[in-house]
Amino acid sequence: MEGIDHLADERNKAEFDVDEMKIVWAGSRHAFEVSDRIARLVATDPVFEKSDRARLSRKELFKSTLKKCAHAWKRIIELRLTEEEAGRLRFFVDQPAFVDLHWGMFVPAIKGQGTEEQQQKWLSLANKMQIIGCYAQTELGHGSNVQGLETTATFDPKTDEFVIHSPTQTSSKWWPGGLGKVSTHAVVYARLITDGKDYGVHGFIVQLRSLEDHSPLPNIIVGDIGTKMGNGAYNSMDNGFLMFDQVRIPRDQMLMRLARVTREGKYVPSDVPKQLMYGTMVYVRQTIVADASNALSRAVCIATRYSAVRRQFGARNGGIETQVIDYKTQQNRLFPLLASAYAFRFVGEWLKWLYTDVTARLQASDFSTLPEAHACTAGLKSLTTTATADGIEECRKLCGGHGYLWCSGLPELFAVYVPACTYEGDNIVLQLQVARFLMKTVSQLGSGKAPVGTTAYMARAQHLLQCRSGVQKAEDWLNPAAVVEAFEARALRMAVACAKNLSKFENQEQGFSELLAELVEAAIAHCQLIVVSKFIAKLEQDIGGKGVKKQLNNLCYIYALHILHKHLGDFLSTNSITPKQASLANDQLRSLYSQVRPNAVALVDAFNYTDHYLNSVLGRYDGNVYPKLFEEAWKDPLNDSVVPNGYQEYIRPLIKQQLRTARL
């Protein structure tokens, strides 16, 4: 059985060039070549072996993480990898670790909020990993409400120092990754107080541990917050707690790009607009959307391959059973997730462009697109992470009982991924930010101020409030104009309905509070429109060959029509489509599933994931699932002995009825 490709027949059915699709998925030929080379480098390095993670204790797991991070840095230096290549290497090592926060949050925070002088000093150390940093914002009592943080940074003009202090237990920093055991420094967010006045939350670079023996510095209490959900999973990360007892730092360790405190204690806002801070936020959130595509595609790859290998029922006269992937119920659950993985990939690409555009505008003091960019990145972060977390769990169910095994790769993937629904903004809170932006946009529609970017469709409010869909047959749902107009009408009508309901309240904040659920739904409708429109826009580009484009076209309309079906109540209640048109959409959806079916395995092959990265017996490239499930079973420590430890004490007395009878 070893070496046989059990999925060869599936791969032979493909109606497109898989290598071409790999390039489309990667974004460019260069990106594909880098990714492919680094993936194989990691997969063949024994130090990066990860199949034993579930069997390690927390301490063993954490030590193995330290070993991998050190080895990864060694390889980056030896091979003189570029920043892009180093990032891919960390991605394929696939183990949450302190380096994620060092490179993903600490360094960007200093780049975004530090002066040129501060960047020269701190980034020269951070880029060589001579210091290791984390991002200490969230507190025990406050996460999403950053303005409610309690940690204080009080300026003392006598010594030219800030005094960092945790005044309450709830002000202790709680959750920062890398903080618990590794970070030597942190960007700490605290309330800046000078001359008796509170100027709100600002960032400060604070050293936490000695660079000689790694012990915490005086008056700093720091540790790990404990074991988290899942075996292995995010437990390789040292999420930490941190408390300060009047800890003093030099004044120049306040991040001073946006504001500074003088030697005399005067608070001076910088000439640099504070909106520049949002550039970093847009960057972080666009990377989270890209991560959503990675995680969902990984789960879909496992579920698709296994659905083609697994056979159940359908046998007649002793014949072969039916592949699970041929059941329409399986396709109806799996193919929209496959389509979503591609959709999130392309909206992630667009967000990279948006970040570049917003950054260039900010540098030129053009803030016109910033509110819209902030709202759409917040909304897309929420939409994609929620859909991905739900999608990974759905993939686990699609794999039946075997999906529950750790070696399927799905339980650990789920446990690693679900925190994304909370960090960098709770998903419901983020959608409410989008809703506020939408309500403001709707309120300005008659003012002559044209909506921009992803809200530009609202400028056609008069048409969208009155139009009726022209769909008359199932194939009409493959018309991009018809699909986009239905999504635009639904999104606009839901936003306008919320605005009208808000206007009935004398107190707008009370109204907002009463209508929270409806506002979230309106925000989601707007974000789904963005994803659909960006996928359709991708199809208009010169991508791949004819076969590649056809498959992407199928996936695009599966995504759109599945969303339409899932949120049918919204489309019908807003009169964006009729019940008959909804029925035609379902007819078209079934047809699209049939077209994707022969290409399904090839479409997940295009993700180009190595078996090492997937770390899944069910998702193996060769489909050789069942012998490997047995191999994994025998590796479990419980199978080290035939008779279990505890037999003599507990099982034998039970069987032999030698337990004493207790008196009640």
Side-chain angles (χ1 to χ4, degrees):
M1 301 290 282
E2 196 72 51
I4 298 173
D5 184 351
H6 296 269
L7 292 170
D9 287 345
E10 288 293 325
R11 295 188 167 105
N12 289 333
K13 295 175 186 174
E15 300 163 337
F16 67 100
D17 187 325
V18 178
D19 288 334
E20 274 193 42
M21 188 70 87
K22 286 178 181 178
I23 292 167
V24 172
W25 175 261
S28 68
R29 182 173 295 278
H30 167 76
F32 163 71
E33 288 171 352
V34 168
S35 197
D36 188 61
R37 178 164 44 83
I38 299 296
R40 295 178 196 288
L41 178 81
V42 171
T44 54
D45 192 322
V47 177
F48 296 132
E49 172 60 36
K50 59 183 182 178
S51 61
D52 62 344
R53 280 198 299 222
R55 292 183 281 274
L56 298 179
S57 69
R58 176 85 200 282
K59 283 188 173 182
E60 290 170 333
L61 177 67
F62 185 64
K63 191 170 183 182
S64 82
T65 306
L66 299 182
K67 179 181 179 181
K68 287 178 183 178
C69 289
H71 184 66
W73 184 245
K74 179 170 174 267
R75 298 298 285 148
I76 288 167
I77 300 300
E78 287 173 347
L79 299 172
R80 297 182 179 179
L81 299 187
T82 64
E83 194 173 327
E84 177 191 12
E85 291 167 333
R88 297 312 289 164
L89 187 140
R90 287 190 289 272
F91 172 78
F92 285 116
V93 168
D94 185 41
Q95 194 147 313
F98 65 91
V99 289
D100 302 347
L101 282 301
H102 176 82
W103 295 111
M105 296 295 288
F106 181 72
V107 168
I110 295 172
K111 282 181 179 176
Q113 297 167 46
T115 62
E116 285 187 23
E117 188 180 3
Q118 288 175 320
Q119 289 183 41
Q120 279 184 343
K121 176 180 176 180
W122 296 104
L123 293 181
S124 62
L125 296 169
N127 287 336
K128 296 172 188 169
M129 296 206 79
Q130 291 173 329
I131 61 171
I132 297 169
C134 67
Y135 189 84
Q137 179 172 288
T138 301
E139 294 178 356
L140 189 58
H142 286 92
S144 296
N145 182 13
V146 175
Q147 298 311 311
L149 297 178
E150 299 176 84
T151 304
T152 57
T154 307
F155 183 64
D156 181 356
K158 294 175 187 170
T159 60
D160 196 27
E161 293 173 319
F162 281 103
V163 181
I164 314 292
H165 186 61
S166 307
T168 62
Q169 189 173 51
T170 50
S171 71
S172 60
K173 296 298 178 184
W174 192 275
W175 274 116
L179 170 64
K181 293 294 170 186
V182 178
S183 294
T184 61
H185 290 69
V187 171
V188 174
Y189 288 87
R191 313 193 71 79
L192 191 159
I193 299 167
T194 182
D195 200 21
K197 186 175 178 183
D198 185 334
Y199 286 91
V201 175
H202 290 67
F204 301 82
I205 298 175
V206 184
Q207 185 172 347
L208 307 176
R209 292 178 169 95
S210 163
L211 294 176
E212 297 305 318
D213 63 6
H214 208 62
S215 58
L217 297 185
N219 301 323
I220 288 177
I221 299 171
V222 62
D224 186 276
I225 62 172
T227 305
K228 298 160 291 266
M229 173 179 165
N231 282 8
Y234 227 83
N235 289 301
S236 55
M237 179 75 81
D238 55 326
N239 297 90
F241 60 81
L242 172 66
M243 292 195 79
F244 301 100
D245 182 10
Q246 311 288 345
V247 173
R248 291 178 171 270
I249 63 167
R251 177 171 55 90
D252 66 5
Q253 286 181 214
M254 169 190 172
L255 289 173
M256 292 192 185
R257 187 179 184 193
L258 304 176
R260 63 189 176 88
V261 171
T262 67
R263 177 66 185 84
E264 296 72 35
K266 184 183 177 186
Y267 180 83
V268 183
S270 147
D271 292 336
V272 177
K274 65 179 181 180
Q275 289 97 325
L276 282 176
M277 275 190 69
Y278 290 109
T280 304
M281 194 179 295
V282 171
Y283 168 75
V284 171
R285 286 179 179 159
Q286 64 94 7
T287 63
I288 292 174
V289 173
D291 289 343
S293 168
N294 292 330
L296 183 56
S297 59
R298 183 172 174 175
V300 167
C301 184
I302 294 167
T304 301
R305 286 175 178 171
Y306 182 59
S307 294
V309 169
R310 184 72 165 175
R311 293 177 178 272
Q312 293 286 283
F313 305 113
R316 290 196 178 96
N317 303 320
I320 194 165
E321 291 181 278
T322 303
Q323 288 171 280
V324 170
I325 199 170
D326 284 330
Y327 289 106
K328 293 299 179 181
T329 46
Q330 194 83 350
Q331 293 176 14
N332 188 50
R333 294 161 67 195
L334 177 61
F335 291 169
L337 296 176
L338 173 59
S340 297
Y342 276 89
F344 296 169
R345 191 68 165 192
F346 299 141
V347 84
E349 278 182 10
W350 171 75
L351 278 179
K352 281 185 183 176
W353 170 85
L354 181 72
Y355 168 68
T356 305
D357 180 67
V358 167
T359 302
R361 288 173 181 268
L362 290 176
Q363 298 295 344
S365 296
D366 174 3
F367 310 118
S368 59
T369 62
L370 188 59
E372 187 264 340
H374 178 247
C376 84
T377 52
L380 290 172
K381 181 271 177 186
S382 174
L383 182 82
T384 58
T385 55
T386 298
T388 296
D390 293 345
I392 295 168
E393 170 61 5
E394 187 69 7
C395 285
R396 183 192 67 78
K397 294 177 197 171
L398 285 164
C399 291
H402 297 331
Y404 193 64
L405 286 168
W406 185 88
C407 66
S408 75
L410 293 165
E412 186 180 42
L413 177 59
F414 180 76
V416 166
Y417 189 75
V418 286
C421 295
T422 308
Y423 61 60
E424 289 310 298
D426 174 87
N427 280 357
I428 296 299
V429 173
L430 289 180
Q431 290 296 12
L432 289 171
Q433 290 180 14
V434 178
R436 282 192 185 275
F437 172 72
L438 293 177
M439 293 305 96
K440 185 176 180 182
T441 305
V442 170
S443 72
Q444 295 173 338
L445 285 180
S447 69
K449 184 178 180 181
V452 297
T454 56
T455 55
Y457 69 98
M458 290 189 169
R460 295 181 289 109
Q462 195 170 0
H463 168 74
L464 291 171
L465 288 171
Q466 297 173 347
C467 69
R468 294 287 178 267
S469 174
V471 168
Q472 295 182 348
K473 54 186 185 298
E475 305 87 72
D476 291 345
W477 280 117
L478 299 180
N479 178 345
V483 171
V484 170
E485 186 173 81
F487 273 80
E488 287 178 342
R490 169 215 181 198
L492 181 74
R493 293 174 191 189
M494 289 176 74
V496 168
C498 283
K500 283 181 179 175
N501 287 332
L502 271 176
S503 68
K504 297 173 185 175
F505 290 84
E506 287 184 25
N507 183 317
Q508 286 292 294
E509 283 307 309
Q510 183 196 350
F512 205 87
S513 180
E514 287 291 326
L515 297 170
L516 287 177
E518 292 94 328
L519 287 161
V520 167
E521 291 301 318
I524 290 171
H526 172 69
C527 293
Q528 288 170 338
L529 164 62
I530 296 173
V531 178
V532 168
S533 61
K534 296 310 171 190
F535 202 155
I536 287 173
K538 181 72 177 181
L539 296 177
E540 294 169 355
Q541 297 175 15
D542 183 20
I543 45 170
K546 187 177 177 182
V548 166
K549 204 152 201 174
K550 184 175 188 300
Q551 296 311 313
L552 291 177
N553 201 71
N554 290 342
L555 292 172
C556 176
Y557 291 102
I558 284 175
Y559 179 79
L561 296 181
H562 176 74
I563 293 293
L564 187 149
H565 175 75
K566 187 178 177 183
H567 295 270
L568 190 54
D570 291 346
F571 284 91
L572 293 176
S573 65
T574 57
N575 292 316
S576 302
I577 63 170
T578 65
K580 171 66 175 172
Q581 289 167 336
S583 178
L584 291 172
N586 282 343
D587 292 344
Q588 185 58 58
L589 202 48
R590 282 194 300 276
S591 171
L592 289 168
Y593 291 158
S594 296
Q595 293 175 58
V596 165
R597 165 62 190 94
N599 297 284
V601 168
L603 283 166
V604 300
D605 284 352
F607 303 148
N608 202 36
Y609 294 144
T610 62
D611 283 347
H612 174 272
Y613 177 68
L614 283 181
N615 200 28
S616 168
V617 169
L618 304 188
R620 292 172 58 90
Y621 183 85
D622 63 10
N624 190 23
V625 170
Y626 300 119
K628 297 300 177 182
L629 279 171
F630 258 102
E631 274 185 34
E632 287 300 314
W634 282 117
K635 289 177 186 175
D636 194 277
L638 279 182
N639 289 322
D640 287 349
S641 61
V642 177
V643 177
N645 184 19
Y647 167 76
Q648 293 294 343
E649 300 145 279
Y650 306 113
I651 300 176
R652 182 179 170 82
L654 185 66
I655 294 171
K656 299 297 183 183
Q657 297 295 300
Q658 291 172 352
L659 297 174
R660 293 181 182 177
T661 304
R663 289 185 178 181
L664 297 177

